[in-house]
Amino acid sequence: MATVTLDRPAHAVSARGSAVTGTGRLLRFMLRRDRIRFPAWILGLTLLMTYFATALETLVKSPADLEGLTAFSGSPAGALFSGRGFGFDDLTIERFLAGQYGLYVAIGAGLMGLLTVVRHTRAEERSGRAELIRANVVGRHAQLTAALTLATAMAVLVALLIGAMMISRGYDAGGSLLFGASVGAVALTFAGIATVTVQLSEYPRAASGAAGAVLGAAFMLRGLGDMAAVQGSGPAWLSWLSPIGWSQQTAPYVHDRWWPLAISVAFTAAAAGVGYALSVRRDFGAGLVPPRLGSPRAAAWLASPLALAFRLHRASLIGWSMSLLVAGLAYGSFTQPLLDGFADAPEDLIAVMGGSENLLAGFLGTLGLTMALAVGVYAVLAVQTLRAEEAEGRAESVLATAVSRPAWVASHVAVAALGVPWLLLVAGVGMGVGAAVSTGDEGLFGQLVLGHVAHTPAVWLVLAAATVLYAALPRVLPAIWGVLAYGLIVGFFAPILDIPDTAVRLSPFEHIGEYPLVDISLVAVVVLTVLAAAVAQAAVATFRRRDLAGGA
């Protein structure tokens, strides 16, 4: 029998041996998958900064109005929540935008970078799609390289668009480009951090959570360092330990320092190098940190769809509870300094708080609305858990048992619905304790707890609306974020932007009342609760009629 030898072309051999072979094809595939997410992130962050600029220009009608903003912004409390504010001794609109609002756009950019890397690496391994891709002529590092390239492209585009937007408003070109670059640098840095966290755990949520925890720690380190810098004593150097702090230290429109961004780039390169090194030390689909072994026998109380739903949502509830309690204590503790800072603020800004005569009550009501919107984020993410369970095939396994479709959906919605008043209560307790200690008025505790919990029906309606979108058209579920964004805009800026009352009342958060500034409407509580129950029931009925992993 003759032996036939098939010679492969030399370029095929070298291609198969390259660790980054197929990166270009994978990048095009990722762009195809993110054809909606890609522009949504970039344009969303740019439009957010555009909105901040437009709102501030509407608010500030004279140099005296601009000077009034420095009372709070230049205080230690202002430094904690926004930054130390370079150049506030000679304040301009662009300096205030970069010093106060730039932080929150940068945080959004950081989330964009880390979520993009996790989505296209660890999530792909977990779903099994990466295994099919790796069965082809694809290098070991191709997927991570393509994900990093995509995140870098998003960071660069965000930097350019924000810089161009600021230039178009007549601000200094050099400072505008630097400000845009500082936002993009945060996205790049946390994309690098995500390359490390995706190697540690085999679960996408754990990888995202670890990178998100670093983002939270960066915010706190920067805040403590900036507070010390404003006070003139303490560990001001803590700001230099934060990737967010590196971007803020560029001081756009004041010092225009580009060199701190070199720290961001160097850190990203180092983090990516660590990520690549760790990736070769683990098995495909596994994490360097092994999962904790569970009990060989399930507890009796787990033998129901409601118990399973609680088990799946438990970690999220614990994390949100701790975060909201800490945030409530932090914001509540600065009640008195915040009120002092608003003493010389512009009239339009005071109008947002209910006017000078009701400044304390208006501020407390605003805190309740803020936490209600935050818990609304939890509600939407809880519904997205349903989508993930279905997309990853676990829902099909559960529904193959005696569990019915209505029971499966209703169990998850019930757990999330019970979590809403609990989280609002936790936030209210934290706010109440902080505010009572800050002002010395113990009566604020009860007012804040009641004012927070009263928003429960509004968040329930958001939860029900998200569920009906998931049940009918899962791909349209991200549209529910528009409801929260709209609630944020009308809740905080309706008096400034002269939004008509009819348009304001389209938000579910504008009916119950921001207690103690406005008395709680029991009629609105009942109507919103009944409406939320009806929409949730419609969602359960709709889910019964569609195929899994599809839409109606």
Side-chain angles (χ1 to χ4, degrees):
M1 180 181 294
T3 300
V4 180
T5 301
L6 298 177
D7 294 328
R8 288 183 298 172
H11 65 84
V13 177
S14 61
R16 184 176 291 274
S18 174
V20 294
T21 297
T23 298
R25 285 179 176 269
L26 281 175
L27 179 59
R28 290 193 295 273
F29 173 64
M30 291 176 185
L31 287 169
R32 176 74 174 82
R33 287 192 64 207
D34 283 3
R35 61 189 181 279
I36 296 177
R37 291 173 181 263
F38 188 95
W41 271 113
I42 295 170
L43 295 178
L45 291 173
T46 304
L47 291 175
L48 178 62
M49 196 64 216
T50 303
Y51 175 77
F52 285 146
T54 303
L56 185 62
E57 290 173 356
T58 304
L59 176 67
V60 176
K61 299 181 176 63
S62 68
D65 290 340
L66 194 60
E67 292 175 2
L69 295 174
T70 62
F72 168 68
S73 302
S75 67
L80 174 64
F81 294 112
S82 298
R84 60 187 297 181
F86 291 96
F88 274 27
D89 53 342
D90 185 18
L91 193 60
T92 62
I93 289 181
E94 56 266 38
R95 288 178 178 180
F96 188 82
L97 283 170
Q100 291 294 296
Y101 296 126
L103 170 65
Y104 299 98
V105 179
I107 291 174
L111 288 171
M112 176 188 73
L114 71 90
L115 291 176
T116 297
V117 171
V118 173
R119 168 178 166 81
H120 292 293
T121 54
R122 175 55 68 182
E124 289 294 284
E125 287 190 40
R126 184 66 181 168
S127 68
R129 289 186 293 265
E131 186 174 7
L132 296 175
I133 292 173
R134 289 279 289 273
N136 293 280
V137 184
V138 175
R140 184 181 184 93
H141 298 319
Q143 193 151 19
L144 182 57
T145 303
L148 272 174
T149 303
L150 178 62
T152 301
M154 296 172 76
V156 171
L157 285 175
V158 163
L160 292 175
L161 287 177
I162 290 179
M165 182 275 295
M166 300 291 275
I167 292 174
S168 70
R169 307 188 82 88
Y171 305 146
D172 176 70
S176 297
L177 291 176
L178 176 59
F179 175 65
S182 68
V183 174
V186 177
L188 195 63
T189 300
F190 282 93
I193 290 172
T195 63
V196 177
T197 62
V198 295
Q199 315 302 332
L200 302 179
S201 173
E202 63 183 80
Y203 300 105
R205 292 181 190 175
S208 300
V214 177
L215 180 61
F219 178 87
M220 291 305 299
L221 283 173
R222 176 219 52 81
L224 295 173
D226 287 347
M227 282 185 65
V230 171
Q231 291 173 338
S233 62
W237 50 267
L238 287 175
S239 297
W240 289 98
L241 300 181
S242 168
I244 301 175
W246 302 333
S247 289
Q248 287 195 322
Q249 290 292 334
T250 59
Y253 308 110
V254 183
H255 302 306
D256 287 341
R257 298 184 294 215
W258 285 86
W259 64 264
L261 298 185
I263 304 176
S264 300
V265 174
F267 179 87
T268 302
V274 172
Y276 281 114
L278 293 178
S279 69
V280 301
R281 300 179 65 86
R282 66 175 178 87
D283 293 333
F284 180 81
L288 291 173
V289 179
R292 182 172 58 90
L293 295 178
S295 173
R297 292 182 179 273
W301 65 272
L302 288 174
S304 70
L306 184 62
L308 175 62
F310 171 73
R311 180 84 175 190
L312 292 173
H313 291 272
R314 182 179 61 181
S316 177
L317 277 170
I318 293 173
W320 274 92
S321 298
M322 295 176 62
S323 299
L324 291 176
L325 180 61
V326 172
L329 287 169
Y331 279 96
S333 298
F334 287 102
T335 298
Q336 191 60 52
L338 285 166
L339 293 176
D340 295 339
F342 275 114
D344 299 322
E347 293 182 2
D348 286 340
L349 184 58
I350 294 178
V352 175
M353 296 297 173
S356 57
E357 296 181 357
N358 302 304
L359 194 56
L360 177 59
F363 176 67
L364 298 181
T366 302
L367 290 179
L369 175 62
T370 302
M371 287 303 176
L373 291 168
V375 177
V377 173
Y378 156 78
V380 174
L381 293 177
V383 177
Q384 288 186 336
T385 299
L386 280 170
R387 177 62 174 158
E389 290 293 298
E390 180 182 350
E392 296 176 12
R394 292 187 292 271
E396 187 174 4
S397 300
V398 174
L399 294 174
T401 66
V403 178
S404 65
R405 287 188 174 210
W408 182 73
V409 173
S411 297
H412 283 268
V413 174
V415 171
L418 291 174
V420 168
W422 164 254
L423 292 177
L424 288 171
L425 174 64
V426 169
V429 168
M431 288 281 192
V433 171
V437 172
S438 175
T439 62
D441 185 357
E442 297 178 358
L444 295 181
F445 178 82
Q447 292 179 354
L448 275 165
V449 171
L450 179 59
H452 280 66
V453 177
H455 287 286
T456 297
V459 183
W460 276 346
L461 185 56
V462 173
L463 173 65
T467 306
V468 81
L469 282 178
Y470 161 70
L473 296 169
R475 293 182 180 274
V476 187
L477 177 58
I480 195 64
W481 293 111
V483 176
L484 294 177
Y486 187 76
L488 174 67
I489 291 172
V490 301
F492 288 92
F493 301 105
I496 298 175
L497 301 178
D498 294 326
I499 299 176
D501 290 341
T502 303
V504 169
R505 297 189 71 80
L506 291 176
S507 170
F509 298 94
E510 295 299 319
H511 298 274
I512 293 176
E514 297 179 16
Y515 185 81
L517 178 64
V518 180
D519 290 337
I520 298 171
S521 172
L522 296 179
V523 174
V525 169
V526 173
V527 170
L528 289 176
T529 301
V530 172
L531 184 59
V535 174
Q537 186 175 6
V540 172
T542 302
F543 183 73
R544 186 200 298 268
R545 296 193 297 268
R546 76 162 172 85
D547 294 333
L548 289 180

